[in-house]
Amino acid sequence: MNSVSLSNELNSLLQQKNVSIQLSVPQLVEKVLKRNEGVLTSTGAVCATTGTYTGRSPKDKYIVEESASKEKIEWGSVNQPISEEVFDKLYNKVINYLKQKDEVFVFKGYAGADKKHQLPIQVINEYAWHNLFAHQLFIRPTEEELLNHESQFTVISAPDFKANPELDGTKSETFIIISFERRTVLIGGTEYAGEIKKSIFSIMNYLLPESGILSMHCSANVGQEGDVALFFGLSGTGKTTLSADAHRRLIGDDEHGWSPNGVFNIEGGCYAKCINLSEEKEPQIFNAIRFGSVLENVVLNKETRIADYDDGTLTENTRAAYPIQAIDNIVDPSVAGHPNTIVFLTADAFGVLPPISKLTKEQAMYHFLSGYTSKLAGTERGVTSPEATFSTCFGSPFLPLPATRYAEMLGDKIDEHNAQVYLVNTGWTGGEYGVGSRMKLQYTRAMVHAALEGELNHVETVKDDIFGLNIPLHVPGVPDEVLQPNKTWADRSAYEKKAKELSAKFKENFKKFSDVAADIREKGGPIA
């Protein structure tokens, strides 16, 4: 089936009477309640559950193998190929399935706050609450923009349509398939709304570098002097928490592009992990969860409908989706200048990486390519406790192109704009997971604040004798002994054993980057 045929099939769906296009937030909330898809919380947010799938399904994600893109894609366990024939058959089945539904919901908007690099998109949903999610997460058009809106990419999400692997060529009932030639994402068999958001991010990670723009899995904010900071890290490492700073304006919490003019948010909303959320520790996020916001898998008191953010009964991966305008201190539109400071966030389950260290250019490139962290419980199906993992560029699941493509672009940006780069461990200290404790948020905030304010630019450091990292000897607001991991462990020999174990994992993982420059390999990684 060619793209014209697909377009005709799609148009026939969109012209049906069961399709509601661009409903307002109140209208969508009414639909959610009427259809029993969710309930209202005490603050007026919609709360929905996602059933079996409470996280992404990376093993069920595919890219269609097409002539125009197949030579560019880095195929493998992340970017799994699937045939055009399989896609086309599933596409027809999903379209026909949606035609039979009582209601279908469509959102039209954009990805990319910089109008020079915007991607017009439309999201077609079986569920009203998924359409509300899309409305809040992507960039919403003005009435004038809507009149001239022509979608260049379409996401079709039908959670209750389940594939038959034997007939449909998938691995399970779930599928997330991207076709760059057909400019379509097809999602079925999963109610987890994050698949919608991350599919568009994957698309931007393909399109933006082709236009000379670095796409990044990071949060971003800007200080009073116009100084921009980026926070790279996987889910649960603190991107959203640390970028929501009362003293800095938020640009975005998860996805950005870095163009010749500066940084811009790819999204129009935030998707915050909210397990153990409290007003005291994260007031901006806590207070953003109000009417129009969407909670996923958060347990509520049945009578008061007050959210219990400490309850992880359904999943540790509880989420809150809200428009960026729900945060008081933002940049609107979400566009700013070039970054002064770049922070790599990692949640080290081994408990051996320093809570903060200054990176040389070579170390920055090494740790960006490595993307070390711990996969936290609930972020993906089957993960119930933290696991050490390496996710290239802190976003491997969403990168269609070879990792070195993104890394080289970042290296050029660091050189061009003289950005200072830091590695910050928001994970464990005083021992590995199960023995030590999670780094105190107040300490992490103090360290990040010092880095952003330039207080660490010329501070005295000591070189870690295993990882070769430059550790500041003093950071305001942080006990000196916390800064050096080997001083936080009760058993020094146990620390060295665990640190060398992680060091070996870094070296083994980096072997796959055979085309990386020698100075990055030799000067960027562990020294023991």
Side-chain angles (χ1 to χ4, degrees), residues 23 152 270 346 431 433 494 501:
L23 294 183
Q152 294 181 19
C270 301
T346 180
Y433 173 77
E501 183 181 335

Side-chain angles (χ1 to χ4, degrees), residues 41 69 75 79 104 111 151 182 189 217 219 234 264 269 285 297 331 353 357 362 366 372 392 407 438 451 489 500 510:
T41 73
S69 59
W75 301 105
N79 299 314
V104 175
S151 301
R182 294 156 174 77
H217 186 210
S219 59
L234 295 184
F264 63 89
I285 298 172
N297 299 313
V331 178
L353 287 182
S357 49
E362 293 79 13
Y366 186 98
Y372 167 69
T392 308
R438 195 75 190 258
W489 284 55
K500 289 180 178 178
F510 211 78

Side-chain angles (χ1 to χ4, degrees), residues 2-20:
N2 59 37
S3 57
V4 174
S5 299
L6 259 68
S7 179
N8 291 337
E9 286 291 315
L10 183 61
N11 287 335
S12 70
L13 168 65
L14 296 179
Q15 291 170 8
Q16 290 201 162
K17 292 182 179 180
N18 67 333
V19 175
S20 296

Side-chain angles (χ1 to χ4, degrees), residues 339-373:
N340 307 82
T341 307
I342 298 173
V343 179
F344 296 157
L345 298 167
T346 180
D348 173 31
F350 286 73
V352 295
L353 287 182
I356 188 167
S357 49
K358 298 179 66 177
L359 302 185
T360 64
K361 163 72 179 302
E362 293 79 13
Q363 288 174 328
M365 300 316 302
Y366 186 98
H367 284 276
F368 184 64
L369 281 168
S370 296
Y372 167 69
T373 190

Side-chain angles (χ1 to χ4, degrees), residues 52-59 315 375-387:
T52 303
Y53 304 98
T54 58
R56 290 183 294 104
S57 299
K59 294 180 181 179
T315 178
K375 198 177 289 181
L376 300 182
T379 303
E380 293 181 8
R381 283 194 291 145
V383 179
T384 56
S385 62
E387 300 173 359

Side-chain angles (χ1 to χ4, degrees), residues 10 92 152 187 282 388:
L10 183 61
N92 275 331
Q152 294 181 19
I187 302 173
E282 299 171 271

Side-chain angles (χ1 to χ4, degrees), residues 39-47 289-295:
V39 298
L40 283 185
T41 73
S42 61
T43 65
V46 162
C47 185
I289 303 172
R290 48 186 187 257
F291 182 78
S293 300
V294 178
L295 289 179

